[in-house]
Structures are given as structure tokens and as C-alpha cells.
Amino acid sequence: MSDRTGTYTVVEPCNDHGTTTLREHPRNSTVHVVEYGDSEVESALSDLDAGTVVRVELEREGRRGNAWRAEAARPVSADPA
């Protein structure tokens, strides 16, 4: 099973089906989070708006194309330089 950890931007916030679409930095690849490791992770991602940058640990969800399970998630603070 393949996994990824990285920084992502929320492209599509969590919809009625529980899917959140993220864009990975710097590759600009898009992933669809369809499962969540626990309710805290689901809540963390469900509350984010489009454009929010988040650090996410992902694990591929079965053999489904571009479907992922979020095992951890935390917003990245935008501290002034």
C-alpha cells in the first residue's frame, strides 16, 4: 500500500458525500480524500475552506483510482516572515 505525507491546498471542501479534494505542493497533483482515520481527522478536514493549506498524512484507499484515507491532518499556519 502506498502512502504520502505532505502539504496540500483544499481545492474542494468536504462535500455531502464526505469527499475532500486536495492539491499537493509542489507537484500540483490532486487527491480525493474519501475516508478518514478517525473522527478528529474527519472533523479537521471537514471544517476547512477552499484555499486553506494543510499538512496531511495519506494512505491509498484500496485499489480505487485516486481515492485516499487521511490518517492525520493539521492546518499550516501562515506566519508572517
Side-chain angles (χ1 to χ4, degrees):
M1 200 171 288
S2 178
D3 59 1
R4 296 166 122 163
T5 298
T7 304
Y8 296 81
T9 298
V10 176
V11 176
E12 300 273 340
C14 191
N15 63 25
D16 293 341
H17 301 288
T19 300
T20 303
T21 303
L22 306 173
R23 182 179 311 118
E24 185 177 16
H25 295 279
R27 297 188 301 191
N28 287 329
S29 61
T30 301
V31 298
H32 302 284
V33 177
V34 299
E35 294 287 333
Y36 303 88
D38 60 34
S39 60
E40 287 183 27
V41 175
E42 183 174 12
S43 179
L45 284 175
S46 296
D47 291 341
L48 300 178
D49 295 321
T52 303
V53 178
V54 62
R55 180 94 176 148
V56 183
E57 292 178 27
L58 298 171
E59 185 173 297
R60 188 169 297 282
E61 183 61 26
R63 295 179 184 244
R64 294 163 52 184
N66 195 18
W68 297 83
R69 169 192 295 270
E71 294 296 334
R74 65 176 172 77
V76 175
S77 62
D79 295 331

